[in-house]
Amino acid sequence: ILNVEQSPQSLHVQEGDSTNFTCSFPSSNFYALHWYRWETAKSPEALFVMTLNGDEKKKGRISATLNTKEGYSYLYIKGSQPEDSATYLCASLSGTYKYIFGTGTRLKVLA
Amino acid sequence: GAVVSQHPSRVICKSGTSVKIECRSLDFQATTMFWYRQFPKKSLMLMATSNEGSKATYEQGVEKDKFLINHASLTLSTLTVTSAHPEDSSFYICSARAGTGGSYEQYFGPGTRLTVT
């Protein structure tokens, strides 16, 4: 059974602070790593799809890195804003082509 | 683009009744749709994978007679929880994928909160 772990489970940051959180996944039989942003009562929104070791992706103030050899990905948010408040999910896709999700990191940005 | 709707967003039903949840891809054809379930403070757990026009593939431990999945068209899949019991109360969410290959990106609906009384 594959396990995807995310940490921390939740965090509160002040507006303007930068923050980061971690997604750990089994490195064997790795295919892709997805990051999603999920606001309450809305659909999870795809942020990044990462496949290659060393990948770095950026979308505005949000960026992500990938290490497939050691099985982790970091998501960074620079200059957090209240609208960044959401749950950030990662999902690992292996050779079975099924997603295994982490439990998410709940971010609250305080104005 | 790539919008998936899910209906209803919230439903309360009595024990023993059946509930149908619809998942629609609004602006693309979904060859594959997935149904997930999420318990409080737990991760999304895949229940089944459905391909248009064929029988769904259920994950281990998911009762196919309990959770009926139909994927009759390229834009619609339904999940019917039959003879619902309080332990079926959960958050159900679907996703849809346009095709195979590439990054296997999937697009999610907003989910359905089911409460069985």
Side-chain angles (χ1 to χ4, degrees):
Chain A
I1 297 175
L2 299 176
N3 284 315
V4 175
E5 306 285 342
Q6 287 188 250
S7 63
Q9 286 189 340
S10 65
L11 75 161
H12 291 68
V13 301
Q14 290 294 130
E15 182 176 359
D17 286 351
S18 294
T19 186
N20 65 85
F21 18 95
T22 306
C23 172
S24 301
F25 55 89
S27 54
S28 61
N29 208 18
F30 172 84
Y31 188 84
L33 192 283
H34 290 233
W35 279 101
Y36 294 89
R37 179 173 178 275
W38 195 2
E39 291 183 74
T40 303
K42 294 186 179 179
S43 304
E45 171 198 355
L47 287 175
F48 303 114
V49 179
M50 310 177 80
T51 56
L52 298 176
N53 185 45
D55 253 357
E56 290 187 30
K57 296 275 179 97
K58 188 175 181 182
K59 188 176 184 179
R61 293 179 290 99
I62 305 176
S63 60
T65 60
L66 180 69
N67 183 321
T68 61
K69 293 183 179 179
E70 295 180 42
Y72 64 83
S73 175
Y74 292 134
L75 189 80
Y76 301 91
I77 302 178
K78 185 178 178 181
S80 303
Q81 299 297 309
E83 57 264 32
D84 296 328
S85 297
T87 296
Y88 291 84
L89 285 179
C90 69
S92 173
L93 186 64
S94 69
T96 60
Y97 304 119
K98 294 178 183 175
Y99 289 95
I100 306 295
F101 282 84
T103 53
T105 293
R106 289 183 300 282
L107 172 68
K108 177 73 174 176
V109 181
L110 305 171
Chain B
V3 178
V4 175
S5 69
Q6 196 171 331
H7 178 80
S9 58
R10 189 177 291 266
V11 58
I12 300 172
C13 71
K14 291 186 176 179
S15 188
T17 61
S18 294
V19 174
K20 181 186 282 188
I21 302 169
E22 292 188 348
C23 178
R24 292 180 185 274
S25 57
L26 299 184
D27 51 2
F28 67 100
Q29 293 186 324
T31 54
T32 306
M33 286 186 169
F34 304 90
W35 287 96
Y36 295 87
R37 181 175 182 176
Q38 185 182 37
F39 291 105
K41 297 187 179 180
K42 299 291 185 182
S43 58
L44 296 177
M45 297 296 295
L46 181 65
M47 298 175 66
T49 302
S50 73
N51 292 295
E52 185 266 338
S54 60
K55 288 185 179 180
T57 302
Y58 290 80
E59 295 301 301
Q60 191 172 10
V62 178
E63 300 175 58
K64 60 180 71 175
D65 295 329
K66 174 79 170 169
F67 299 100
L68 299 179
I69 291 172
N70 184 281
H71 191 166
S73 79
L74 283 171
T75 59
L76 174 64
S77 176
T78 60
L79 167 67
T80 301
V81 183
T82 62
S83 187
H85 287 98
E87 56 265 30
D88 298 325
S89 298
S90 191
F91 183 78
Y92 295 87
I93 189 168
C94 69
S95 70
R97 196 165 69 198
T100 58
S103 61
Y104 285 81
E105 191 149 5
Q106 56 180 334
Y107 303 95
F108 285 90
T112 297
R113 173 77 57 191
L114 170 64
T115 303
V116 185
T117 59

